[in-house]
Amino acid sequence: MDSLVLHNGTIVTVDGDSRIIKNGTVRVGSDGQITAVEPSSADTTPADADRVIDVDGQIVIPGLIDAHRHTDFTLVQGLFSELQGGELLKEAIALYHRAEADLDDAFFEAAWRLASLRQLSHGVTTVNAMDFTPELGAETLGEAGLRGVIGPELADLIKPAGPETQLAEAREFIEKYHGTYDGRIAASIAPGGEAGCSRDLWEGIAELRTEYPDLQLHTHIYDSPEADTMAAGSGADDTLALLEAHGLLNDRTLLTHVLHAGREEARRIAESGAHVLHCPTIYSYFRAGEQAWFPLPALQEHGVNVAIGLDDPFWFDSWDLLQEAKHARLLANYEYGAQQWTSYELLKTVTINGARALGLADEVGSLEVGKRADLVVLDPKPARHLPFSNLPSVVMNTLTGGDVATVIVDGEVLMYEGTVDSMDPESVITAAEDARDRLQDTTGWATSLAGSSPPETSIARRIAARPTLRVLKQYGQGFLSEHLP
Ligand SMILES: [Zn+2]
């Protein structure tokens, strides 16, 4: 007997034929696998299942996949919203250094739990994270019933610990957490990128790669115009050559940002089989000096797999992956001309393309028999959405994360009609509020409903900070020297 049946809904399968089934049924077996995706009919009576969910008038899509995320500092949300790029960098450096030194695991645990709650309630069922507290991430996502690929961020030019220590901790994380929580939690190898890693660390990462050839390698590249110069510091001709030299560029490689890359780099990425992860909002919200835009036409022309992620959603206060895809489309159309993506193709960037990048395309990313039952039910019934046609455009242009009604992962119903079952939202929010108060007490940030202001005593406001954080990599050495005192 099947454990779960959703029937009478509109199913957007995202399968190879890009099917839309107007009045459809999804059946899920007792092991959490999809057993049927078919038109509803008298023969597909749902009565023989443990649980039947009538999704009449609703839209069923594959669970959303946030292809690139950081989570440790979720609780800084709202602090940076009104700062311009240069101020943000100074304050982020000061704040993160204080927080890492002065706050305990409870702070980061509250951050992961709040992030998991927000992710779940926005329809994100899989997250690809890169963080300094991966153990808390594995346990929080695992217990919330979500799917996660988590990489301990390796960056000896950012984090005080040396390469040996960081690599040992990464091995320990992989051994302890990869494949846990019924296989929902996986580990990745996650070098911060050209600006975060020394030559010694790259060499150690190459060894780690050889030891764990089946893991995905998740990194940032070409997010500043100085990327190739930084790669030269590690003895390579350019960034892609740096990865190639260490055996780190292949179809298990995930390259995040790729802003300052051209047609030739797109061709080389395509040839390697590597995937590209695009995070449009952060780079448009904090537009920093002159910068190139994501080279979508060249990547499309060469057939590179592109997936979308939220990066640091707490910097720009949005946790909505559907909106993130919309931003990607608007910015690409603005830069290169209309119709860079069709709506159905855009939906793939937050579903099957993310699954492909993560090596999970046989398991999730589309609604097909034999895959794990990760799916999201969207509710377009409120009058503000009716009437409509062109369903893909409704999903990608009209609906938002606020229209997510029901979320299922591995066949388990984690949220039903807006009520989260796999977490206790009240305790998550209370813990986040407490941790946030401690953050303010510790760092001197002042916040109110009217806004937030950094402490007058912020060390980075008075003296030049050593530009060693990941934010440096995101905006570039030139930008920092221009803006830091
Ligand atoms: Zn990132």
Side-chain angles (χ1 to χ4, degrees), residues 68-70 130 220 256-257 279 311-312 470 473-474:
H68 177 75
R69 263 285 298 284
H70 307 278
M130 180 194 286
H220 302 93
T256 312
H257 300 322
C279 307
D311 204 358
D312 295 292
R470 180 171 46 76
K473 192 181 63 53
Q474 293 194 318

Side-chain angles (χ1 to χ4, degrees), residues 165-454:
T165 308
Q166 292 196 29
L167 290 162
E169 285 171 358
R171 272 189 189 87
E172 213 173 294
F173 175 77
I174 294 166
E175 291 294 332
K176 186 165 176 194
Y177 289 102
H178 183 62
T180 55
Y181 293 94
D182 301 324
R184 285 184 287 104
I185 299 299
S188 70
I189 299 169
E194 311 100 335
C197 304
S198 70
R199 192 187 289 215
D200 285 350
L201 183 56
W202 282 118
E203 282 165 11
I205 289 165
E207 283 170 28
L208 195 64
R209 203 326 142 249
T210 311
E211 278 170 56
Y212 297 101
D214 295 336
L215 297 190
Q216 304 307 95
L217 184 120
H218 177 200
T219 189
H220 302 93
I221 69 163
Y222 285 121
D223 38 13
S224 89
E226 289 81 19
D228 285 340
T229 310
M230 293 179 197
S234 291
D237 286 346
D238 62 29
T239 298
L240 291 172
L242 172 70
L243 294 176
E244 264 166 348
H246 290 96
L248 304 175
L249 189 64
N250 58 39
D251 62 359
R252 287 199 168 272
T253 304
L254 284 66
L255 305 170
T256 312
H257 300 322
V258 192
L259 284 176
H260 296 270
R263 297 180 53 76
E264 177 56 14
E265 286 78 24
R267 188 193 60 73
R268 287 164 67 194
I269 291 170
E271 212 170 76
S272 73
H275 310 265
V276 168
L277 313 180
H278 179 35
C279 307
T281 303
I282 195 158
Y283 284 99
S284 48
Y285 198 102
F286 297 107
R287 190 172 198 284
E290 282 307 307
Q291 66 180 58
W293 192 244
F294 186 67
L296 182 68
L299 294 167
Q300 304 260 49
E301 183 188 324
H302 291 289
V304 176
N305 180 44
V306 173
I308 286 176
L310 286 160
D311 204 358
D312 295 292
F314 36 85
W315 284 14
F316 53 83
D317 315 317
S318 169
W319 294 75
D320 190 329
L321 197 60
L322 290 175
Q323 299 256 38
E324 187 71 16
K326 187 191 295 182
H327 294 171
R329 164 139 83 181
L330 293 174
L331 290 158
N333 286 2
Y334 180 78
E335 186 71 23
Y336 302 113
Q339 309 306 340
Q340 295 295 321
W341 273 293
T342 65
S343 297
Y344 210 123
E345 290 298 314
L346 191 62
L347 175 59
K348 291 179 184 174
T349 65
V350 288
T351 53
I352 189 67
N353 293 7
R356 278 190 197 117
L358 293 171
L360 298 173
D362 291 338
E363 293 183 51
V364 295
S366 62
L367 303 178
E368 295 181 78
V369 173
K371 286 200 177 185
R372 308 304 302 165
D374 286 16
L375 47 91
V376 166
V377 181
L378 298 163
D379 189 359
K381 283 183 296 196
R384 67 182 185 275
H385 297 322
L386 296 173
F388 60 78
S389 61
N390 187 353
L391 194 73
S393 86
V394 171
V395 172
M396 301 315 296
N397 288 337
T398 308
L399 301 181
T400 70
D403 298 304
V404 170
T406 298
V407 177
I408 294 164
V409 175
D410 237 13
E412 296 292 324
V413 181
L414 306 184
M415 182 169 97
Y416 177 66
E417 290 292 336
T419 301
V420 173
D421 291 328
S422 65
M423 304 185 83
D424 173 14
E426 212 172 300
S427 75
V428 172
I429 291 164
T430 305
E433 282 169 351
D434 291 350
R436 170 80 181 219
D437 287 346
R438 291 207 304 281
L439 175 75
Q440 290 181 29
D441 292 346
T442 306
T443 61
W445 271 79
T447 68
S448 74
L449 291 180
S452 308
S453 51

